[in-house]
Amino acid sequence: MKIIDKLAKIDRRIIYLILAVVVILPMIFPSVLRVRVMPPVEKLFHAVDNVPKEKALIIDFDYAPQTAPELEPMGFALLRHAFRKRTKVLILSLYVQMLGLAQNALTEVIEEFNSVAETNTDSIIYGRDYVFLGWVPPPIIPILGMGESITNVYQVDYYGNRTDTLPLMKEIKNYNNVGLLVSLSGSDPPEWWIAYAQNRFGLQVGAGVTAVSASKYFSYYQTGQFSGLMVGMKGAAEYEEMIEKELAIKSRRIASEALPPLTYAHLVIMVFIVIGNISFLMQRRKK
Amino acid sequence: MTLILLAGLFALAPPTGVRAYDTPDDGGGAIIIEWQISQDDQILDGYEIYRSDNGIDFEKVGFIGKGRTTIEDETNDGVKYLYKVAAISDTIRAYSEPSAEVMSYPQWINRNKINIFVAFFIFGGIILYFIYHARKGKELFIRKIAGLQAIDDAVGRATEMGKPILYVPGIGYIDYIATIASLNILGEVAKKCAEYETKLINPHIDPIVYTVAREVVKESYTKVGRPDAFDPDSVYFITDLQFAYAAAVDGIMVREKPATNFLVGWFRAESLILAETGASAGAIQIAGTDQVSQLPFFVTACDYTLIGEELYAASAYINRDPLLLGAIKGQDWGKLIIGAILLAASVIGIITKFPILNLFR
Amino acid sequence: MKRTFPLFLVLIFGIFALLPYIIPHPIIQNTDELLRNNLLKILSAFALVLGLGSLLKVHTDKIKRKRENWEYSWVLIMTFIITSIIGLFGGVSGTGILPTSIGSFPFDIQTIYFNVVVPLGSTMFAMLAFFMASAAYRAFRARSTEATLLLIAGFIVMLGVLPLGNRISPHLPSFAQWIMDVPNVAGQRGILFGVALGAVATSLKIILGIERSWLGGGGGK
Amino acid sequence: MSLSVDPWIWIGALFSLAIFSFLYKDNPFYRVAEHVFVGAANGYAVTFYWHNVLVPALFNPLFRQGQLLFIIPFVIGILYFTRFIPKIGWLLRIPIGIYIGYYVGASIPAYIQAFIIKQVQGTILTPQNFASWSAGSWGILWSVILFAGVLCTLSYFYFSKEHKGVLGATSRIGTIFIMIGFGAAFGYTVMARVSLLIGRLQFLLGDWLGIIR
């Protein structure tokens, strides 16, 4: 009976230590687990993939540092997908704090593609292949304004160039020239894009959200308002799986690398539950 | 011949049946324009909306993507307007016939919101009916909620052990109903602390809730006849940030080692930090919140949890105040009505073709 | 006077706040917006200044009376003063009169936010995983049939979300998804009805002066 | 192992470790970090309340542009400070009364529409709701289970009658739905929290220590 008593009184810090080890080890020796892609992410992949040549993909980077672990890998995967398919990309944020993270994701992926490109045609060039529009407050102005003219809303882009001088902006005038908009956010922006932009201009909307706020968004996916949905780090890993499988993109899969530690963490928590209950039942029977 | 052919080739079919009317149920300043899409809709860029207030010169006021058949235009009230819609493909345009004259004006009632106010008057009426009877002293039966018995035992436990009671009112603002219910329960717990001279610790995150709580606790001490025992610093403000507050309260749980923790009110992600640290410090914990996302953590880590509405019933039970009990009875009737509506609407929804869902926009 | 006038204010402002919901007329809508953007926004700012007053008072008292851990109150007050000076005089994006960088080392309010407030805040979120683990070990007991149900549903979802779950059986992920869509929504919607009815009832009682706990009277007559 | 050279990364990392040290036990490093957080967070709040609220919404219009109408919010705001003067302390109830009255009044229609009427709309058994599951004829079964679950959960929160007989049965079924819902939500939240821990460790092991890529 001694083990049971000891089990019942494991010190809290040992539990923390076990969790820490179980999470850190798979991070130091990364391995990528095969991921089964569920329908919501598959639909989003095909929606991004089917953006016509002459149209653009807009990515709305609206995650804060605190929700970056779940949403940043989605941003990287979407950018790699679009640039590999040479889809035209516009990037924007609805809030000022998010600009820094959008800029960080953009520069890293561009560098990844341009370091490998030989000729001018297959490298990613600002103004021709993508434009970083930046931020115009309050959010309702870009959401509705881009329906008629994007250059009227964003007269100047993030870097300060006049947008009407950029070649890409001559082709992409408004939502008619936008195949799909994907909003990455931990709060309400995806709802706004449906309520305002989709209702009035028929804009196709996809979303990448945090796991905690997932249940609310499933109803919009069910009604078809969302053309696809990624939820949490697992959703990001599924998208990384799709771009590797369909487009043979061999870049670092941050979210997929997080799956092993995530799996072991879940297993450890489940084992703790079982042990905790065994010692609990033993004690109850003893009484 | 070729010219006509070319013209025929390039001339677009204009949109037809253009109709314009004042947007109903709004504050004025808006007119809705509707039309049938042109036969060449597939190759169009979209439709341009033209407006004139003298019937002669039209100026462009709007644009919308192809395949759409309606748009809302912002106007000045009391001015007569005429509208034309043009199908546009690159630089070629085809104008429709002008619409009839139309004027926009504000309405005083938004008919879409009537169902909300009907529900409010019915439900409000029931609540007031029961409160009226409660004031008349009518006996109103309310079943016993397990969590409430625990509040008395928990305060008793802290008194026996001579240890303080920690009352965490959640991180909600003063207007959150959970916060107000929590202040009600704080009032009762403070009365018991005054009677048994148990130390009360009541840290706050919101300056307004803090000021109200101070008054509530002071009033409770005077009600029990112990205004002198009230320690003004037992109720204090820490910070207005969620996690600084959680860290500070954790610090209190570990340092002051209260025998009983009350975690009652509006909570977010910090609820698990508080509940877990309290559990590991070995305190009896009573939780209560209407934040459904936090209930799983409270249910697992606390001894008693008031789930959602039980929190409101708790403040009524503690005060044994007929007015509050009257409200609870009214809410029970509200649930009966919701159940009846669900049953009736489902029967109508299945058997008949009536679009029952539109009644509940 | 001390009670009736505040209760009268609650009645007037309570009813006035209801009207814009059903009356679209600009007269009501504009006054509502004017009231919100000017009066209420300013009151919230004054309330914060008041709260800070009491925070600083508590910590200055701690220092004066040398109560336990008083040294940390110095840390709090100094950090508060330094951050406020940098923020108030340095401007929101470093455009104020105070210089906000020495050579290449920036210290404007945004940099402080990204490198002090955010790491502290997100580490607190990260710690939740540890508290989750020890709560799972210590608190997660199959005390009753309901608690066992909660455990089972939790296990199914925690497994269904992982690639491992899919390897155990392809039906597991879809079953986990079904649990989120049907029983989870049913349970949460039932609770939500009760909470909403309770909230509306309490709001009505406050406006009509039946619920007076906010006055500090501890409710009742 | 390529240590970061940016001083701010070091500051962020050391603060993170100080907060994590709370896991071991409440210690001076944690308490310093806790108090720095409270000080910096309130300093940040003061900055934005001043620059984005008080100056543009009150001081500019009142003192710079002389719009005397702003005397009213200014005076009512000052009443907050009567809390420090016991004799006229009751004046504090005026700003609080206005504040509570407005917010509580505005919450009534919002709560009724969002949490009662829209939820009823989603629960009613109609062909439209059956189809919304996009699961073919299974949709009918899902809608019926949802319908029964909502009614049973409602019966759990019925306070006017003892939970015996039929009401006893429905409320027990109700608790089953509630507990399944809590378990499912818990599972999703575990994934979210562990992801945040992995994110922080990626910062510490990656950006700071450079152990992982």
Side-chain angles (χ1 to χ4, degrees), chain C residues 7-30:
Chain C
L7 288 177
F8 172 74
L9 281 176
V10 158
L11 180 68
I12 295 298
F13 279 91
I15 293 172
F16 184 78
L18 264 165
L19 300 179
Y21 215 82
I22 188 162
I23 302 174
H25 201 283
I27 298 170
I28 301 284
Q29 295 292 334
N30 297 344

Side-chain angles (χ1 to χ4, degrees), chain A residues 7 10 12 15-16 19 34 36 38 65-66 97 218 234 263 266-267 269-270 272-273 275-277 280 284, chain C residues 114 118 122 129-131 134 136-138 140-143 151 155 158 161-164 166 170 173 177:
Chain A
L7 270 181
I10 289 189
R12 218 159 35 106
I15 298 172
Y16 297 155
L19 183 69
R34 274 287 142 264
R36 172 180 170 199
M38 299 296 278
Q66 273 130 320
Q97 308 93 338
F218 272 105
K234 172 70 168 24
T263 306
H266 276 206
L267 289 177
I269 286 180
M270 282 188 256
F272 282 157
I273 295 170
I275 298 174
N277 275 288
F280 169 72
R284 215 163 41 165
Chain C
F114 258 103
V118 166
S122 38
F130 290 107
F131 287 128
S134 70
Y137 181 76
R138 214 196 293 278
F140 228 15
R141 291 291 181 270
R143 309 170 206 269
L151 278 172
F155 268 46
M158 277 166 73
V161 153
L162 298 172
L164 176 71
N166 180 45
Q177 186 58 48

